[in-house]
Amino acid sequence: MFYFLAALAVGFSIMVVITRIPVHSALSLGGVLISIAAIFITLEAEFLSAVQILVYVGGIMVLFLFVLMLFSIEKWGGAALHTRTWKTAVALGVVLAGELLFFVWKGITPSLPQIATPAGLGGNIEAMGWALYQRYLLPFEVASVLLLVAIIGAVLFTRKQIPKDNG
Amino acid sequence: MVELFMQYLLWPLVKIIVVVLFLVLMVMAMTYAERKVVAHIQVRLGPMRVGWHGILQPVADTVKLLFKEDIIPIKADLPVFILAPILVAIPAFLVFAVIPFGPAPFYIADINVGILFVLAISSFGILAILLGGWAANSKYPFMGGLRSCAQMISYELPMGLAVVSVLLVAQNLSLVSIVEWQQKSGWWLFALQPVAFVIYFICGVAETNRCPFDLPEAESELVGGFHTEYSGLRFAFFFMAEYINMVAISALTVVLFLGGWLRPFPNVAWLSFLDYVPPVVWFLLKTFFFLYLYLWIRGTFPRYRFDQLMAVGWKWFLPITLANCIVTAGVLLFFYYR
């Protein structure tokens, strides 16, 4: 099951890169995300899987498509397959593949801290809530503040014109 | 071995077939009901020719849609054009995998993230409509798709927040457990969360692109909206998905706010004669009521303007549901966790 889903994810990610029509790329990205959500289900992380689909497919994908559609109406012919940044991309890819291969070769698995959840917490929602709001409260809050800053930044960008109009 | 086979293959399969058949029947019944109800609201007769009072009209419509020529525009993006109707129909059916029609044997699956599953699945619908509008490579469907998408995203947020306040009270994400909570507490949740209840249903109407929020298919402005270029069976998929989504929203409203399969006042003893009515019938009765409400609203209200629609969604519903969440959490914190 894992191999099938993993193959699916890899196949879709290749599609993301090689299709010439941006919307098709975005759709393939959706395929990748759904395959990953399915892998989460096989790992019994239903919550993560549902949130993955909700946030990535339902939110971010739709946003991507929205933007792509608004921009690519005139350029229906499709985006260029090769851009000038391909050398950097290849270099980065090689480095990343090297790192991954190194870890596979060494057989190192990163040791995740075991979180002691109180017994009787059924389901992974409770366990996840426990981990997030007890042990990892600080990182969680930092992340939320970061997101807040991003939102305020976005609002500021769109408001730039208004003071000018008012003189 | 036989038992395992029965438990994991045969029974689910039977249930799935029953539910799918039920939904298809519901779609046909709804198309008929819609025409009849709206006709009578407008002092017309509606379909009268096919069968007794036009009762066979949905059959005739189905046959017509099946045999209609399937036209694909030359400039359409073929893979996406074909994918979109499939993508819109699958999630519509999939939602019913977790909806409990009644106690124990009357649902397909009870997963512990039920309501999240529903929200996640229904977000596919937006994608499909956006893609369908885009793929035809024609301007009216495209604008309809964009409108639809903007509208559904805007109303998904207050809808999700309304659900959150229900979850806070019921303390569970599984739809079956939410109904069981309502049984235990003796209250249908709409009595405890009236604000969330009203907003949830209004958002539901907006999510299904129904009147008075049917701007994505405003005939006078956009021909037919995102499915203008679709015909025949592919159009039927979009059409069917819309009606199934209506059934889904009604069913979910019943599950979340009106006690699912429970009879009115589930813990009042002298009303126990109501138990002679099977739970599934109660569930369906309540669901039908909301479906009728859909038609009633359509027959009564004029269409919103797009900026009004957005203003209602973002400036009213979102803050109200957010406040509702905070107040609910505060009350719970104060009375139960002290």
Side-chain angles (χ1 to χ4, degrees):
Chain A
M1 198 65 196
F2 170 76
Y3 288 107
F4 171 70
L5 291 171
L8 217 59
V10 171
F12 274 125
S13 16
I14 292 172
M15 285 286 290
V16 173
V17 187
I18 63 169
T19 52
R20 279 170 168 272
I21 301 167
V23 172
H24 289 189
S25 294
L27 265 181
S28 314
L29 183 63
V32 176
L33 296 169
I34 293 168
S35 329
I36 291 173
I39 292 177
F40 280 142
I41 290 182
T42 61
L43 293 173
E44 295 186 347
E46 300 95 354
F47 178 72
L48 215 54
S49 155
V51 169
Q52 161 106 1
I53 290 182
L54 193 62
V55 172
Y56 283 96
V57 181
I60 295 178
M61 273 284 299
V62 171
L63 207 66
F64 272 5
L65 282 173
F66 221 104
V67 173
L68 282 177
M69 286 175 185
L70 285 178
F71 278 116
S72 64
I73 300 171
E74 286 89 6
K75 294 187 287 178
W76 167 248
L81 193 53
H82 299 286
T83 52
R84 271 175 294 173
T85 52
W86 71 273
K87 278 175 192 162
T88 331
V90 166
L92 277 176
V94 168
V95 171
L96 189 63
E99 284 170 359
L100 284 175
L101 278 177
F102 176 75
F103 278 111
V104 172
W105 176 58
K106 279 278 203 177
I108 302 170
T109 49
S111 56
L112 291 170
Q114 287 294 316
I115 306 147
T117 47
L121 278 187
N124 46 33
I125 304 158
E126 286 90 341
M128 192 141 168
W130 191 263
L132 266 184
Y133 293 109
Q134 296 284 329
R135 185 176 169 126
Y136 295 111
L137 184 63
L138 187 66
F140 180 77
E141 291 297 333
V142 169
S144 58
V145 169
L146 200 66
L147 281 174
L148 185 67
V149 170
I151 293 170
I152 294 173
V155 172
L156 265 183
F157 270 126
T158 54
R159 282 186 73 93
K160 231 176 187 173
Q161 321 292 339
I162 295 170
K164 241 186 261 173
D165 290 345
N166 292 345
Chain B
M1 186 65 205
V2 175
E3 227 162 71
L4 274 179
F5 171 76
M6 290 280 283
Q7 194 184 349
Y8 288 108
L9 212 66
L10 196 63
W11 269 118
L13 207 62
V14 169
K15 285 180 194 170
I16 291 168
I17 290 170
V18 169
V19 169
V20 168
L21 281 180
F22 165 74
L23 287 177
V24 173
L25 263 178
M26 278 302 294
V27 171
M28 294 175 86
M30 277 302 290
T31 56
Y32 178 69
E34 171 144 37
R35 301 172 91 174
K36 272 298 190 192
V37 171
V38 173
H40 281 283
I41 287 176
Q42 296 166 347
V43 205
R44 292 184 288 119
L45 284 174
M48 289 295 279
R49 299 291 173 86
V50 193
W52 181 77
H53 277 250
I55 196 122
L56 291 176
Q57 188 67 42
V59 181
D61 285 345
T62 315
V63 172
K64 185 199 87 176
L65 277 174
L66 283 178
F67 286 105
K68 214 170 157 184
E69 186 187 357
D70 180 26
I71 301 167
I72 299 178
I74 296 173
K75 283 207 169 177
D77 185 299
L78 197 65
V80 181
F81 193 81
I82 292 170
L83 181 69
I86 302 172
L87 208 57
V88 82
I90 291 175
F93 280 107
L94 215 50
V95 168
F96 283 86
V98 292
I99 288 182
F101 293 91
F106 292 104
Y107 49 81
I108 296 174
D110 173 28
I111 58 178
N112 64 357
V113 290
I115 189 69
L116 268 180
F117 174 83
V118 170
L119 290 176
I121 291 299
S122 47
S123 64
F124 274 99
I126 306 179
L127 208 65
I129 285 177
L130 190 58
L131 288 173
W134 176 81
N137 202 8
S138 158
K139 92 184 145 186
Y140 289 124
F142 182 63
M143 285 170 70
L146 284 186
R147 268 190 187 187
S148 180
C149 182
Q151 172 181 336
M152 286 166 92
I153 291 175
S154 310
Y155 280 84
E156 210 177 32
L157 292 170
M159 197 167 180
L161 283 170
V163 171
V164 166
S165 44
V166 171
L167 301 182
L168 280 172
V169 178
Q171 295 171 17
N172 215 311
L173 271 82
S174 144
L175 292 173
V176 177
S177 310
I178 289 175
V179 178
E180 279 165 358
W181 185 90
Q182 296 180 68
Q183 178 153 38
K184 226 183 310 168
S185 74
W187 287 93
W188 286 1
L189 263 165
F190 86 101
L192 304 175
Q193 289 287 354
V195 181
F197 166 63
V198 172
I199 290 189
Y200 182 85
F201 187 69
I202 296 176
C203 290
V205 177
E207 281 283 296
T208 41
N209 293 329
R210 291 285 303 181
C211 203
F213 304 105
D214 60 347
L215 291 140
E217 38 196 279
E219 295 90 349
S220 42
E221 302 161 30
L222 288 176
V223 192
F226 59 88
H227 51 53
T228 303
E229 301 288 350
Y230 281 92
S231 63
L233 203 54
R234 287 183 222 286
F235 168 73
F237 271 14
F238 279 111
F239 195 64
M240 200 165 70
E242 184 181 322
Y243 281 96
I244 292 177
N245 282 333
M246 279 163 66
V247 181
I249 294 284
S250 306
L252 277 171
T253 316
V254 170
V255 168
L256 291 176
F257 295 100
L258 285 180
W261 64 78
L262 305 175
R263 67 182 163 84
F265 304 103
N267 287 347
V268 178
W270 63 268
L271 279 172
S272 61
F273 65 88
L274 288 173
D275 281 337
Y276 288 116
V277 181
V280 181
V281 174
W282 277 121
F283 181 84
L284 290 180
L285 276 179
K286 294 180 211 170
T287 309
F288 290 160
F289 169 72
F290 279 106
L291 286 172
Y292 179 72
L293 205 60
Y294 260 109
L295 305 182
W296 194 2
I297 291 173
R298 182 190 160 182
T300 321
F301 286 101
R303 185 179 293 140
Y304 268 95
R305 226 169 48 219
F306 197 66
D307 57 322
Q308 290 171 332
L309 175 90
M310 283 297 164
V312 169
W314 288 99
K315 291 182 187 162
W316 289 98
F317 285 174
L318 193 61
I320 290 173
T321 43
L322 205 56
N324 190 43
C325 267
I326 294 169
V327 170
T328 308
V331 169
L332 283 174
L333 204 63
F334 193 72
F335 286 107
Y336 291 98
Y337 296 111
R338 224 175 7 167

